[in-house]
Amino acid sequence: MVRFKSRYLLCEVCVEDRSSLLLLEERAIFHAVKTAVARSHGDYGAALLILSFAVKYVNAHTGIILIRCRKSHYRILWSALPFISCLENRGQKVQCLISCLHVGGTIRTCQKFLVKYSTQQLHRMLPHCKNEAERDEVRRAVLSCSLEKERDVEEEEEVEEDDWEDE
Amino acid sequence: MVCKMAMFMDLNVNFTKDKKTLQNIIETAAHLGYSTVAINYTLESQQKKPEIPKPTSISDLFTKLPVVQGRSRPIRVLSRLTVVATDPSHFRPNAEYKAFDLVAVFPKTEKLFHAACMTFEVDIICVTVTEKQPFHFKRAPVNGAIDRGVFFEIVYTPAIRDSTMRRYTIGNSLGLMETCKGKGVILSSGAEKPLELRGPYDIANLGLVFGLSEGDAKAAVSTNCRSVVLNGETRTTAFGIIRTMKKPPPAPTASEEDKSEERENSAAKRAKMEH
């Protein structure tokens, strides 16, 4: 039993220039989300964020962020996310888009999803490699981040997806 | 987990002369998980001599199309023509329109809106989002459009750019939802820059703000778009059953073959549905 139920939004920040992702900071995201909610839902929206709104995780290299809010109002927060078009940090404005990858009830499920998603990203990068050394490196990375169990799950899912496409 | 739902589509990506931007937009769309995008060419009829643009071929843009997120297929790129009509004479269906996969009309007056809903050979009717809707949506034409399988389009990019536009977008779409009850609506981007796109799930959620219910909002980015594309395909056929096409060149590339096969399949499906 938990007393307060939360929703965790696992989001990805996309920018034009990957190097500007390194500017990503918890405070900047917190501030941007807060203003966006206040702008699109007014004082009511801003008031809802006082309770339990937090940025739990930021990965500046991949642009992955994890936001927590109360389960009852997460849609209000989510509907404001598309209206964020730039993040500001230390006086530098960076144009960006935030797309939600997964909505979970616990950090654990989000993490599981993230492992799978990251593996998928590496798979997507593989054909873009220019030479054999790069390719080997990506291959090794793919193998190192997918646990044995995870791989089984993924294979099952791929089969399911193929079935669905055949219909 | 990613793709248990139907395929997502974004049926409005504005055409720009700059190839690099267009490529970037399509790549971003593939990354976000859209499996089909349509490049939009606008035909402004206010000018003296409107010139119908020719759709650029996809092979000009990409040698290899980017793969859709969470799938193994490359993204599908369609072409679409939007006719901005202030006068009934502006919309003249002719052979040039047939070069496009989809045809949309943007009626500016009530009379034209009525005509567009009831008679025009189009797939999509655009709804004003950058200013106050100049007329009320009447039930008869809206229901007529839904029965004919013509869809209303709400574009969300102006809402992202500017707060005033956001008010008009939300207001006008709520006005539309009062009449159509959330049926027959699609949501699309109308993006000119890659960072103006948003993820499909975000847009499905944004649909709640626009007055759609949860199921309708999801349909607005997936299944409704699919119907629009199928409708567009049948426009070039006779009742969706017979289709005439030129004999393909001796050695068609793999992608072209796929495409024609897909078309035939969907035409067959459509024919089945009608019986």
Side-chain angles (χ1 to χ4, degrees):
Chain A
M1 254 307 265
V2 280
R3 195 160 293 195
F4 299 115
K5 290 204 173 168
S6 305
R7 277 282 177 269
Y8 294 88
L9 300 170
L10 186 72
C11 306
E12 186 183 27
V13 181
C14 299
V15 289
E16 254 169 50
D17 185 16
R18 297 281 302 185
S19 60
S20 52
L21 266 183
L22 293 174
L23 284 169
L24 211 62
E25 236 179 42
E26 216 174 290
R27 268 165 53 101
I29 295 158
F30 187 87
H31 188 71
V33 173
K34 212 170 170 183
T35 19
V37 174
R39 217 173 39 190
S40 39
H41 295 289
D43 289 341
Y44 176 70
L48 293 177
L49 286 196
I50 293 175
L51 287 170
S52 120
F53 168 61
V55 179
K56 295 298 272 186
Y57 170 75
V58 176
N59 189 335
H61 296 279
T62 50
I64 300 288
I65 55 178
L66 188 65
I67 301 170
R68 179 188 71 183
C69 68
R70 278 286 146 80
K71 187 187 169 189
S72 47
H73 310 298
Y74 80 100
R75 278 186 188 278
I76 285 195
L77 174 80
W78 192 4
S79 63
L81 284 184
F83 296 123
I84 299 172
S85 60
C86 77
L87 287 173
E88 201 175 345
N89 193 16
R90 301 211 191 92
Q92 271 184 296
K93 270 192 177 177
V94 182
Q95 295 279 321
C96 72
L97 78 87
I98 295 185
S99 81
C100 193
L101 304 173
H102 182 76
V103 182
T106 53
I107 296 184
R108 208 176 119 83
T109 55
C110 289
Q111 191 214 3
K112 271 187 186 167
F113 177 85
L114 187 56
V115 170
K116 211 161 69 187
Y117 181 77
S118 308
T119 321
Q120 201 183 313
Q121 294 312 302
L122 286 169
H123 278 301
R124 275 169 67 85
M125 283 173 195
L126 198 59
H128 292 290
C129 294
K130 284 187 196 77
N131 51 37
E132 204 52 39
E134 264 182 13
R135 197 160 298 173
D136 273 349
E137 203 173 312
V138 174
R139 268 201 204 110
R140 214 172 320 119
V142 171
L143 288 175
S144 71
C145 82
S146 63
L147 303 169
E148 207 61 48
K149 207 172 89 191
E150 290 284 342
R151 215 179 299 152
D152 288 342
V153 173
E154 205 173 294
E155 269 167 22
E156 269 169 33
E157 284 215 344
E158 265 167 25
V159 172
E160 271 171 35
E161 202 181 299
D162 287 345
D163 287 344
W164 183 83
E165 272 171 7
D166 286 341
E167 274 172 27
Chain B
M1 249 336 148
V2 185
C3 281
K4 283 285 156 65
M5 251 171 74
M7 301 192 287
F8 297 111
M9 300 187 185
D10 186 356
L11 296 182
N12 191 350
V13 167
N14 267 334
F15 174 73
T16 44
K17 288 250 164 58
D18 186 13
K19 261 187 195 171
K20 194 88 190 108
T21 322
L22 207 55
Q23 278 173 1
N24 263 335
I25 293 178
I26 292 169
E27 266 163 23
T28 316
H31 177 80
L32 288 174
Y34 290 105
S35 55
T36 308
V37 291
I39 300 172
N40 182 29
Y41 301 81
T42 314
L43 181 65
E44 299 274 354
S45 301
Q46 282 86 343
Q47 299 152 4
K48 270 270 157 65
K49 236 186 171 181
E51 206 176 287
I52 296 173
K54 285 242 160 57
T56 47
S57 68
I58 306 150
S59 47
D60 276 3
L61 279 174
F62 287 102
T63 46
K64 192 167 172 283
L65 284 164
V67 175
V68 181
Q69 180 81 261
R71 290 174 173 269
S72 46
R73 274 190 198 173
I75 194 167
R76 197 169 153 214
V77 183
L78 305 172
S79 59
R80 155 191 166 158
L81 178 75
T82 305
V83 185
V84 181
T86 47
D87 191 84
S89 65
H90 289 154
F91 186 80
R92 283 194 225 92
N94 51 23
E96 270 123 331
Y97 285 11
K98 286 202 172 159
F100 293 89
D101 294 315
L102 302 170
V103 177
V105 67
F106 194 159
K108 292 280 190 187
T109 61
E110 182 157 15
K111 237 182 180 173
L112 269 169
F113 180 75
H114 196 280
C117 288
M118 304 307 276
T119 54
F120 283 1
E121 276 276 305
V122 290
D123 310 309
I124 301 168
I125 297 169
C126 302
V127 175
T128 324
V129 289
T130 49
E131 58 195 27
K132 194 177 175 294
Q133 186 73 25
F135 50 85
H136 280 293
F137 294 107
K138 293 243 175 67
R139 187 141 296 182
V142 171
N143 283 347
I146 294 169
D147 287 344
R148 284 175 63 219
V150 179
F151 285 79
F152 297 98
E153 182 194 48
I154 295 167
V155 173
Y156 63 79
T157 303
I160 286 167
R161 279 190 208 135
D162 183 56
S163 137
T164 334
M165 300 292 173
R166 193 176 309 162
R167 282 172 203 175
Y168 288 132
T169 310
I170 295 174
N172 291 347
S173 63
L174 286 178
L176 176 67
M177 296 319 157
E178 271 177 5
T179 343
C180 75
K181 310 266 188 224
K183 301 281 177 305
V185 178
I186 62 169
L187 293 168
S188 56
S189 70
E192 281 164 11
K193 281 178 273 175
L195 290 182
E196 281 172 348
L197 286 166
R198 292 294 181 264
Y201 291 105
D202 295 311
I203 296 314
N205 193 59
L206 194 64
L208 299 182
V209 179
F210 292 161
L212 290 160
S213 75
E214 206 172 316
D216 291 333
K218 272 182 186 165
V221 280
S222 54
T223 46
N224 285 1
C225 293
R226 194 179 124 85
S227 327
V228 169
V229 173
L230 290 180
N231 200 12
E233 276 164 6
T234 52
R235 206 160 19 79
T236 53
T237 63
F239 305 109
I241 300 167
I242 305 162
R243 175 187 164 82
T244 54
M245 58 193 290
K246 274 185 189 158
K247 216 173 168 185
T253 55
S255 64
E256 265 174 11
E257 225 168 37
D258 273 353
K259 208 171 175 187
S260 63
E261 207 176 271
E262 232 171 70
R263 280 203 179 158
E264 269 166 31
N265 278 345
S266 51
K269 259 184 211 166
R270 178 87 188 173
K272 252 186 219 165
M273 267 164 63
E274 278 176 4
H275 282 296

